[in-house]
Amino acid sequence: MSALAKFGKQPWLWAWVGAIAVWAATAAYTGGTGSGQVMSAALTFGAFFVIVALGQMFVITLGPGNVDLSVPACMTLAGTVAMKSMDGSGAMLPLGLLLALAIGLSVGAINYSLIRLLRIPPIIATLSSSFIYQSAAIWWNRGLRVKPPTELAEFTTAKIAGIPVIALCVVVLAAIGHVVLTRTLYGRGVIAIGQNPRAAHLAGVKVERIRAATYMLSATLAGLCGYLLAGFSGGAALNMGEEYLLSSIAVVVIGGTSVAGGYANVPGLWGAALFLFLLVTMLNTMGAGAGVRLVLTGLIIIGVIVAASGGKRTT
Amino acid sequence: MSAESDLIVRLDGVAKSFGAVHALDGVSLDLRAGECLGLVGHNGAGKSTLMNVLSGNLLPDTGAIVIAGQDVTAGYSPQTAMQRGVRCVYQELSLCPNLTVAENARISHPAIAGFGWRRAARALIGAKLDEVFPGHGISTNDVVGDLSIARRQMVEIARAFAVTDTPARVVILDEPTSSLDAVVAEKLLKHVRRYVEGGGTCVLISHLLGEVLETSDRIAVMRDGGVVALDAARSFTRNSLVAAMGSVAETQTAAAADGAVIRDGAPVTLRATPSAPETLTLTAHKGEVVGLAGLSGQGQTELLVRVFEHAPGTDVSGNVSLVAGDRQSDGVFPLWSIAENVSIGSLRQFLDGFLLNHDKAFEFSNRWKDKIGIRTPDMADPILSLSGGNQQKALFARALGAPAEIIVMDDPMRGVDVGTKQEVYAMIREEAQKGRTFLWYTTEMDELRNCDHVYVFREGAIVADLTRAEMTEERVLHASFRADA
Amino acid sequence: MSALLSPRLLRSLLPPLSLAALLIAIFWLQPRTMSYFGLNLLLNLAVPIALATIAQMFILCVNELDLSLGGFVSLVACVTATWVHDTPLLGFAALVGLIAVYAALGALIHLRNLPSIVVTLGMSFVWLGLAVLVLPTPGGKAPEYIRSLMTLKPFFVPMPIIASVLIAGLVHLFLMRSALGTVLRGAGGNAKSLERAGWSILRIKMTMFALAGFFGVLSGMALVGLTTSADANIALRYTLLSIAGVILGGGEFVGGRVSPIGAVIGAVTLALAGSFLSFLRLNPDWQIGAQGAILIIVLALRVLISRTEAKA
């Protein structure tokens, strides 16, 4: 009983319950036709969300004000540069990947330097720097849409036993993220800083080193996502990262990570990513127009967060 | 003038439980006009809970609150308390740091409103500050966040004594002198006497038994959620109070007797020079307990933090760990368990390769639970389930458990009960004998007697360097004040 | 350290100085802007941005953040260009209803102790969806009186300047100087202390959110008055602009430290940055990037000045 009660309090539970409920509702509406396809698409798109949200989760866990708004621009820049330098050649695949990761790493380093050297709130630092990355992507791309190497396109759409390969890879990535969060000095440090940065410093946590690593991790994952997404969607588009700005935050928070920092969990990321995708699918299936779809998406996000909170205010 | 007519507040059989913990076990207590009631007891004895009931922040489970003959228990709240003239200065400060001193006065005095409210608020709080703390040096236009802790405390106290449309019949002071230096504390206690002689009622909660004995008319001793002794202050002595609180009697001489560390024999482990001009340099040897004395906020904490950070101007050989004094802002991780709070200082010890072994960390914290006596059924409980004194023990465990040769302590005994203090003193002594070096900033004279060597701070500089033999209260005080002041 | 040069005063001087520097640069690049009509043109769009920034400031003041403001202003613009124009009674009732929704959001966030970022994130979808429902394709028409108010040409001083000064002054008087405003700000500094003194945090949060809604409505109406028609995406960038404006104006994310005058100055600075860039005849690829760079430079200056001040 107490184990069950404890399970009921897991913060990631709600996201999963929501995802399954929405999927079931869609399946019930269509009478079950195509629900396998829907799940497969959800796993693919969810994987992209989870890659970005994993980095965003570490950033948000650093505490109030920490959020990486440069995610979309970083994705676009990494995707653009990687696609253009590979120029459709499969032999260049690893180089393109390295390039995308290196761009992410540098973006993260720049973001952190702005936060640290200029003492700008992260939300403003990553916002203003993202304008520059976006410009760089425009300038680099010149309005062309370079096709990705076929190998990359095939990899991002491949399936094993009906399950997208990319989803399997991201499950492994998320598992690594979970271990990093709970069982490394770095992960403990992030959580400590999120609760009380001064106390963390005075307890011997290397606060600045960890913050730097976190922003670099977030941008590197965004770079990776940009690379894969460009491969998946047939090239890097200048607006490819757009929806990932609010979605990456929504996935983290609906997944049960505390926006106030100091508490995070990885399983919720997958639940929330699937939930968000399946929600839109359900509304599409039911024939809702864009306006209704948006309103319902918003209300359900709020509904989930209200239900998950359980009314914690004490006097 | 019968005792009945003087009765201002009667608490009758007040009980309060938090889950399984009986914080108050049917307490009855009278407060009379024109008296100062001292309230002493261990951490967790129920003092703060009782005062939170009286000030309306907690509703009692059973029992009655009677103010000026009227039963006000039903629907009692901070507002009704305020209207009935009950004021409270809380242990954790409750000013808005983004507002000015005058604006903060407006917050707690809703009567100050309308056109010209700003002038009225300034006059009210300014006059009260002048009255209680002459020479305070605070402008009513100062933003509270820019003030030192001591000055914030002064504003908070002045605000509680200030009167607008509601009277200030009963003022509760919960550890009011914890961040004040001796001179300012003296001013406050004098004001308490004046206020009481003018017919007011004061409840003084303090761990400094000396000031309670001197200032109070009556003293109530609490233990385990009940009042165990209540009598005129003059019928108590320091020792009888401590005995009534049920803790071990203070043994000041014991520490002094065995502290025969000889400076010249041991190697130097650290040197640190404050950044202020014309200062002496602090030197600590292996196995020494070095005291940092002086009035509060004279640069002691800054020096400790610099030693902790191995900052320029310090020459530190060895790892340093720190015991925070301000638990809320510098010490505790509120979302974590006690075990996690203890083990964060020594995580490297629990690594298997790259990964942490949580079982090892938990075992480690359980060892420290027994060693330092953290009173909890389970170290996996949240840190905030502990009383303040036990939270502080957890912070000690964190620092002492860390692989550090040097421990710096930032006035760590603020608001900690006498029993806990004695246990911790003994542990510090024991660890020092094993070869660790302690830097101990303290605002309490008694604690300096546990030190082998004392440096006195004034205005950011070290102005005196006293060996144990030279250390007397008079000399420390002397050095703490300018010769011309 | 004289009392005249307190850190507080220096901090509050930074936003106007950066605005002045930007203005001087613009005048130097394009002297023709130094006229009644030039200024009018330059600052026209600053008014709705300033109003939105004030709205965001009320939310930031109680330690919350509104990520839905841009969507809300867009919705108001759509409602103004349709219902307020066609059926004024229904239109204004809808706008009052929207303000009430904002107050209710404040209550929800407070009572359920929800993270405002997520709730407003959800609301941004809701506002946008409603805007699409109200006005599926760009169009509508601004009511004539709003149009003429926004394009008023007073003597000597252009309308946007008068409006900005008026907005900053009135909100300053209310929030920074009045007895009620003090209590509202106090809730951002130390809510527990206010509760103990008998103030209702719930009512304060609702008040602040309602004020934000009110200024959001003003912003949307002003915007339509300038553009004459609306579309559902018209003000989406106001979310980020308004946050940047408050911060540029010296406000902080937590602790109730905000300044209405600073916020308006920050908003005007951001509005001018766009014009400045087009006068520089920059490669259009780098237009957005340069906007980011300006933001960074201004903030860097702020740090630089406060650092030298800290050393003094």
Side-chain angles (χ1 to χ4, degrees):
Chain A
M1 178 60 211
S2 77
L4 193 68
K6 209 175 167 187
F7 180 73
K9 279 187 189 148
Q10 290 297 321
W12 47 263
L13 192 68
W14 283 98
W16 281 96
V17 169
I20 293 169
V22 171
W23 183 53
T26 316
Y29 185 83
T30 59
T33 49
S35 57
Q37 267 168 308
V38 166
M39 196 38 115
S40 165
L43 285 171
T44 303
F45 283 98
F48 292 121
F49 280 128
V50 170
I51 296 174
V52 174
L54 192 60
Q56 189 74 275
M57 179 194 77
F58 279 100
V59 173
I60 287 176
T61 306
L62 283 176
N66 282 293
V67 67
D68 186 352
L69 296 187
S70 74
V71 161
C74 179
M75 282 171 67
T76 311
L77 183 61
T80 313
V81 175
M83 290 312 122
K84 200 167 174 187
S85 41
M86 291 189 293
D87 200 20
S89 145
M92 299 285 279
L93 214 58
L95 183 78
L97 177 62
L98 277 181
L99 210 53
L101 295 180
I103 286 171
L105 203 63
S106 340
V107 161
I110 295 171
N111 286 344
Y112 175 73
S113 324
L114 287 176
I115 296 165
R116 174 87 171 128
L117 297 178
L118 302 185
R119 281 184 283 171
I120 310 177
I123 204 168
I124 293 293
T126 52
L127 171 68
S128 19
S129 66
S130 74
F131 289 157
I132 299 177
Y133 310 141
Q134 187 72 30
S135 269
I138 297 173
W139 174 69
W140 193 272
N141 186 344
R142 293 271 164 214
L144 300 170
R145 193 181 177 107
V146 184
K147 280 212 163 194
T150 30
E151 290 87 342
L152 182 60
E154 275 165 13
F155 169 75
T156 51
T157 49
K159 284 179 191 168
I160 296 178
I163 300 169
V165 172
I166 190 164
L168 294 175
C169 293
V170 175
V171 167
V172 173
L173 184 72
I176 295 172
H178 177 73
V179 171
V180 168
L181 177 71
T182 54
R183 293 202 49 200
T184 63
L185 291 180
Y186 165 76
R188 297 306 283 172
V190 169
I191 297 172
I193 294 167
Q195 295 178 62
N196 187 339
R198 182 170 162 85
H201 170 63
L202 294 177
V205 174
K206 307 273 180 251
V207 174
E208 291 311 325
R209 224 177 281 176
I210 286 180
R211 289 181 66 194
T214 305
Y215 278 92
M216 276 148 72
L217 175 70
S218 167
T220 306
L221 286 171
L224 174 67
C225 185
Y227 174 78
L228 294 173
L229 189 62
F232 177 76
S233 51
L238 285 175
N239 62 350
M240 62 188 263
E242 222 164 52
E243 62 169 325
Y244 284 77
L245 175 60
L246 294 184
S247 302
S248 69
I249 303 172
V251 165
V252 171
V253 177
I254 292 176
T257 291
S258 164
V259 202
Y263 181 83
N265 84 85
V266 175
L269 295 181
W270 259 111
L274 292 178
F275 172 67
L276 278 186
F277 180 83
L278 289 169
L279 183 64
V280 175
T281 312
M282 177 182 81
L283 296 173
N284 269 333
T285 315
M286 296 181 177
V292 176
R293 214 161 57 217
L294 285 164
V295 171
L296 282 178
T297 307
L299 288 180
I300 288 176
I301 290 179
I302 295 172
V304 166
I305 199 77
V306 169
S309 78
K312 274 176 289 186
R313 181 162 297 278
T314 46
T315 53
Chain B
M1 217 168 82
S2 72
E4 274 305 306
S5 69
D6 286 349
L7 196 66
I8 290 284
V9 173
R10 157 164 282 167
L11 295 170
D12 198 4
V14 170
K16 179 78 194 171
S17 303
F18 300 103
V21 183
H22 297 284
L24 291 176
D25 221 1
V27 176
S28 296
L29 191 65
D30 292 347
L31 297 177
R32 300 174 198 148
E35 76 163 354
C36 174
L37 177 82
L39 194 55
V40 298
H42 275 183
N43 285 311
K47 306 177 304 274
S48 293
T49 311
L50 185 64
M51 289 305 112
N52 269 320
V53 167
L54 178 54
S55 57
N57 287 297
L58 289 174
L59 279 177
D61 299 333
T62 57
I65 306 161
V66 182
I67 298 180
Q70 254 186 303
D71 189 330
V72 294
T73 320
Y76 195 59
S77 72
Q79 285 144 283
T80 36
M82 187 90 186
Q83 282 154 12
R84 303 274 168 178
V86 178
R87 308 285 182 79
C88 190
V89 175
Y90 297 93
Q91 210 172 329
E92 80 279 23
L93 298 181
S94 63
L95 297 169
C96 298
N98 59 330
L99 302 183
T100 67
V101 172
E103 287 171 337
N104 266 290
R106 144 81 182 142
I107 296 290
S108 63
H109 294 277
I112 306 175
F115 198 70
W117 69 273
R118 205 166 271 273
R119 206 176 319 119
R122 276 212 300 268
L124 177 78
I125 192 77
K128 202 42 97 175
L129 274 169
D130 290 344
E131 185 189 337
V132 184
F133 304 108
H136 49 80
I138 302 166
S139 156
T140 53
N141 283 329
D142 285 343
V143 173
V144 166
D146 297 341
L147 298 175
S148 67
I149 295 277
R151 285 184 164 172
R152 286 187 216 184
Q153 181 84 346
M154 289 152 78
V155 172
E156 175 105 29
I157 291 167
R159 187 171 78 156
F161 279 107
V163 174
T164 47
D165 59 341
T166 56
R169 283 206 193 112
V170 180
V171 177
I172 303 163
L173 300 167
D174 194 352
E175 298 288 349
T177 56
S178 58
S179 46
L180 300 180
D181 61 55
V183 178
V184 177
E186 187 63 33
K187 286 179 185 168
L188 169 65
L189 297 174
K190 275 195 183 133
H191 178 78
V192 168
R193 287 315 307 171
R194 279 201 303 274
Y195 168 74
V196 164
E197 270 144 33
T201 305
C202 202
V203 180
L204 176 64
I205 302 177
S206 177
H207 283 109
L208 302 177
L209 301 181
E211 70 184 31
V212 176
L213 281 164
E214 259 174 53
T215 314
S216 312
D217 299 295
R218 290 192 301 155
I219 297 176
V221 182
M222 290 190 73
R223 189 172 65 205
D224 302 331
V227 174
V228 291
L230 175 62
D231 208 340
R234 60 180 174 279
S235 62
F236 284 105
T237 64
R238 197 184 173 80
N239 283 334
S240 69
L241 274 183
V242 172
M245 283 155 60
S247 75
V248 284
E250 280 184 87
T251 47
Q252 288 179 1
T253 45
D258 64 4
V261 177
I262 299 160
R263 270 220 127 164
D264 310 328
V268 174
T269 49
L270 78 93
R271 281 181 222 281
T273 314
S275 48
E278 289 184 50
T279 177
L280 304 172
T281 292
L282 178 149
T283 312
H285 298 246
K286 191 174 161 67
E288 256 185 341
V289 180
V290 174
L292 279 61
L295 304 178
S296 63
Q298 301 295 308
Q300 297 98 328
T301 304
E302 288 78 358
L303 190 74
L304 291 182
V305 171
R306 283 177 55 210
V307 168
F308 174 76
E309 290 171 342
H310 296 253
T314 64
D315 179 10
V316 184
S317 57
N319 293 322
V320 185
S321 68
L322 179 141
V323 183
D326 188 335
R327 288 186 292 278
Q328 272 178 33
S329 79
D330 298 354
V332 160
F333 295 105
L335 301 178
W336 269 350
S337 69
I338 310 164
E340 287 170 311
N341 264 283
V342 169
S343 59
I344 178 74
S346 1
L347 286 183
R348 268 175 208 287
Q349 296 175 19
F350 318 124
L351 282 180
D352 290 340
F354 279 113
L355 299 182
L356 289 168
N357 183 328
H358 288 303
D359 295 339
K360 272 193 203 167
F362 196 73
E363 249 169 60
F364 163 87
S365 62
N366 259 335
R367 275 204 305 282
W368 276 98
K369 175 197 169 186
D370 298 336
K371 197 163 171 187
I372 208 164
I374 299 171
R375 289 188 191 91
T376 176
D378 190 349
M379 289 294 275
D381 284 350
I383 183 87
L384 294 184
S385 69
L386 295 178
S387 70
N390 276 302
Q391 285 180 22
Q392 193 65 49
K393 281 187 184 175
L395 297 187
F396 267 105
R398 180 196 293 170
L400 294 176
E405 293 81 44
I406 299 160
I407 317 271
V408 299
M409 307 192 287
D410 178 22
D411 203 2
M413 305 293 193
R414 277 179 238 173
V416 172
D417 65 89
V418 179
T420 306
K421 281 182 182 174
Q422 292 303 329
E423 290 167 33
V424 174
Y425 296 161
M427 187 159 294
I428 290 170
R429 185 48 63 194
E430 191 190 317
E431 292 289 326
Q433 271 160 1
K434 287 185 196 158
R436 291 178 133 176
T437 309
F438 286 82
L439 290 193
W440 186 355
Y441 162 41
T442 172
T443 46
E444 287 177 41
M445 197 61 71
D446 285 353
E447 293 187 345
L448 291 176
R449 294 181 219 286
N450 291 293
C451 299
D452 301 309
H453 207 92
V454 171
Y455 292 92
V456 185
F457 282 66
R458 190 179 69 213
E459 291 166 16
I462 298 175
V463 293
D465 173 354
L466 306 170
T467 63
R468 179 198 289 271
E470 296 165 331
M471 213 280 297
T472 61
E473 183 160 356
E474 200 196 338
R475 291 187 76 153
V476 172
L477 278 176
H478 204 75
S480 301
F481 295 95
R482 279 171 177 279
D484 55 359
Chain C
M1 265 234 293
S2 72
L4 270 175
L5 278 174
S6 74
R8 204 162 28 121
L9 188 72
L10 268 175
R11 273 202 300 270
S12 58
L13 270 181
L14 289 178
L17 286 179
S18 32
L19 175 60
L22 191 60
L23 264 179
I24 289 169
I26 288 176
F27 290 157
W28 182 66
L29 282 170
Q30 197 58 266
R32 267 179 302 167
T33 55
M34 218 177 354
S35 66
Y36 184 98
F37 287 101
L39 279 172
N40 212 1
L41 216 62
L42 268 183
L43 291 168
N44 232 342
L45 278 173
V47 176
I49 297 178
L51 287 164
T53 306
I54 291 285
Q56 187 68 261
M57 182 202 70
F58 281 117
I59 307 269
L60 280 172
C61 185
V62 282
N63 302 337
E64 310 287 357
L65 192 64
D66 187 357
L67 292 183
S68 75
L69 195 57
F72 182 72
V73 174
S74 301
L75 171 60
V76 170
C78 291
V79 169
T80 308
T82 52
W83 297 355
V84 174
H85 180 262
D86 305 333
T87 49
L89 208 61
L90 175 70
F92 279 106
L95 294 181
V96 171
L98 287 179
I99 296 175
V101 173
Y102 248 83
L105 282 178
L108 179 74
I109 286 169
H110 175 73
L111 288 175
R112 304 284 300 200
N113 200 15
L114 300 176
S116 56
I117 294 186
V118 189
V119 174
T120 55
L121 195 71
M123 284 314 291
S124 69
F125 289 98
V126 174
W127 300 136
L128 184 60
L130 289 177
V132 170
L133 289 176
V134 170
L135 194 65
T137 52
K141 196 165 174 15
E144 208 39 57
Y145 47 92
I146 299 178
R147 172 105 195 102
S148 42
L149 180 71
M150 290 311 294
T151 50
L152 214 60
K153 299 268 185 306
F155 286 120
F156 299 120
V157 190
M159 181 63 183
I161 296 182
I162 296 179
S164 300
V165 170
L166 218 61
I167 296 164
L170 287 177
V171 179
H172 179 83
L173 274 184
F174 168 72
L175 190 64
M176 309 305 281
R177 302 297 298 178
S178 82
L180 175 61
T182 300
V183 174
L184 295 177
R185 279 185 296 135
N190 187 342
K192 199 168 175 186
S193 154
L194 264 87
E195 259 175 341
R196 280 174 175 164
W199 302 100
S200 156
I201 300 296
L202 174 65
R203 274 161 66 181
I204 291 175
K205 282 245 161 108
M206 288 176 72
T207 309
M208 289 303 247
F209 272 76
L211 281 166
F214 175 67
F215 278 90
V217 165
L218 291 186
S219 171
M221 295 175 87
L223 183 59
V224 168
L226 292 169
T227 58
T228 69
S229 69
D231 82 87
N233 297 311
I234 189 167
L236 289 189
R237 60 196 190 100
Y238 277 25
T239 301
L240 297 178
L241 272 182
S242 64
I243 298 172
V246 177
I247 301 302
L248 214 53
E252 281 169 35
F253 278 100
V254 285
R257 292 169 204 267
V258 296
S259 147
I261 297 178
V264 170
I265 291 176
V268 173
T269 309
L270 283 174
L272 281 180
S275 319
F276 173 64
L277 293 173
S278 52
F279 291 141
L280 275 180
R281 298 216 183 82
L282 220 61
N283 177 350
D285 287 354
W286 287 98
Q287 192 89 250
I288 318 172
Q291 214 155 3
I294 285 190
L295 203 56
I296 291 172
I297 290 168
V298 171
L299 289 167
L301 280 176
R302 173 163 143 191
V303 171
L304 212 65
I305 294 175
S306 55
R307 244 184 224 176
T308 42
E309 170 231 317
K311 272 183 201 152

